[in-house]
Amino acid sequence: KKLLSIAIDGPAGAGKSTVAKQVAERLSFIYIDTGAMYRALTYKALLKGADLNDGRELEIVLNDTDIKLVITNGGQAVLLDGKDVSEEIRTSEVTNNVSFVARQQEVRTEMVKRQQLLAESGGVVMDGRDIGTHVMPNAELKIFLIASVEERARRRYEENITKGFEADFELLKSEIALRDKRDSEREVAPLRKAEDAIELDTTSMTIEEVVSSILHYAKERA
Ligand code: C5P
């Protein structure tokens, strides 16, 4: 019997990757971070000085780009043309530019194709913005994670402080709000809840509560 496919979508900072990683681990499924793929392309395009508003130019860059999501002893790593860029793709420069790259049709067509190949045999937890609506429209379980913008900024703030980075709460909040606006208002595959997705508001939930709730739905559908 084919293993389940689980789609997790939602706005920036709602906890998708933390939760998706843990759900995948508990089910021994593969975790696929599609945001990391858009980030890797953005990082490369910035390095090359490509025009981030030119879909055709980005498509040419992408066609010559190898992106691998690999498991390491410490967790996950993103390999861009063989080089580990896991940290580079999380800088604010990449974060604040990724929505421009992700709005290009040419980029999305190729990314969705690659993501569908990765998900082909099931047994996957994939997180992103358009997974339930476009990448895995037939996923057995679709989750849409939301949380207030204050809470999402607070989580990002604490994450940065814990890592020893500087953080400005108000700035983080406005950057998150702006990225959501761009992701929700773009023409191609905007961020939205699939009709058959289960919405979970994580504002006052712990990570463990979100994870066990998703595992419960997964068990129901297995
Ligand atoms: O999930 P993460 O915050 O790393 O995603 C970075 C960006 O990549 C998002 O803000 C969005 O612009 C884009 N993205 C997307 N579709 C996905 C995943 C991410 O457009 N499936």
Side-chain angles (χ1 to χ4, degrees):
K1 187 168 171 286
K2 188 173 169 276
L3 291 168
L4 283 192
S5 296
I6 303 178
I8 302 183
D9 290 299
K16 296 183 301 292
S17 64
T18 308
V19 162
K21 233 177 266 172
Q22 294 195 17
V23 169
E25 218 168 88
R26 303 262 279 265
L27 296 170
S28 301
F29 281 13
I30 301 168
Y31 164 56
I32 302 165
D33 176 358
T34 63
M37 298 171 71
Y38 289 97
R39 285 171 180 274
L41 175 61
T42 303
Y43 173 69
K44 181 164 173 176
L46 284 167
L47 271 186
K48 287 180 94 77
D51 179 353
L52 302 191
N53 292 304
D54 184 339
R56 185 67 197 121
E57 189 175 339
L58 293 170
E59 180 186 23
I60 293 168
V61 175
L62 181 55
N63 285 340
D64 186 37
T65 299
D66 178 56
I67 301 169
K68 281 201 179 70
L69 306 172
V70 298
I71 314 263
T72 62
N73 37 13
Q76 287 240 358
V78 181
L79 303 185
L80 173 66
D81 300 321
K83 179 180 177 277
D84 187 343
V85 294
S86 308
E87 285 180 16
E88 289 87 337
I89 64 169
R90 306 285 162 193
T91 61
S92 53
E93 197 196 5
V94 171
T95 301
N96 293 330
N97 280 293
V98 62
S99 296
F100 297 108
V101 170
R103 65 196 281 267
Q104 300 298 330
Q105 174 73 73
E106 292 91 340
V107 169
R108 302 204 71 85
T109 303
E110 174 62 18
M111 287 295 195
V112 169
K113 201 166 87 190
R114 294 187 188 192
Q115 291 155 6
Q116 287 175 338
L117 272 176
L118 293 171
E120 213 170 32
S121 29
V124 295
V125 182
M126 191 179 276
D127 81 351
R129 302 293 185 289
D130 63 335
I131 311 307
T133 53
H134 291 85
V135 182
M136 306 199 302
N138 299 319
E140 287 81 3
L141 178 58
K142 299 179 185 177
I143 302 288
F144 197 75
L145 284 190
I146 58 165
S148 71
V149 69
E150 272 76 21
E151 175 62 15
R152 291 185 282 129
R154 195 189 61 75
R155 290 175 189 167
R156 202 42 60 85
Y157 178 85
E158 307 221 311
E159 198 179 303
N160 286 354
I161 297 294
T162 308
K163 285 182 185 160
F165 298 157
E166 271 181 56
D168 174 335
F169 179 78
E170 289 303 324
L171 180 64
L172 281 172
K173 201 168 104 181
S174 63
E175 285 175 351
I176 287 174
L178 182 60
R179 188 144 65 96
D180 286 350
K181 183 172 153 59
R182 289 179 184 143
D183 290 341
S184 310
E185 293 180 357
R186 71 180 176 220
E187 275 172 44
V188 193
L191 167 66
R192 67 177 174 78
K193 178 183 163 297
E195 264 178 43
D196 52 350
I198 297 166
E199 183 170 293
L200 286 180
D201 185 341
T202 73
T203 306
S204 42
M205 288 172 85
T206 64
I207 293 168
E208 182 49 33
E209 283 170 339
V210 181
V211 170
S212 45
S213 156
I214 296 175
L215 288 171
H216 164 82
Y217 289 119
K219 204 180 262 175
E220 269 181 4
R221 285 157 203 232

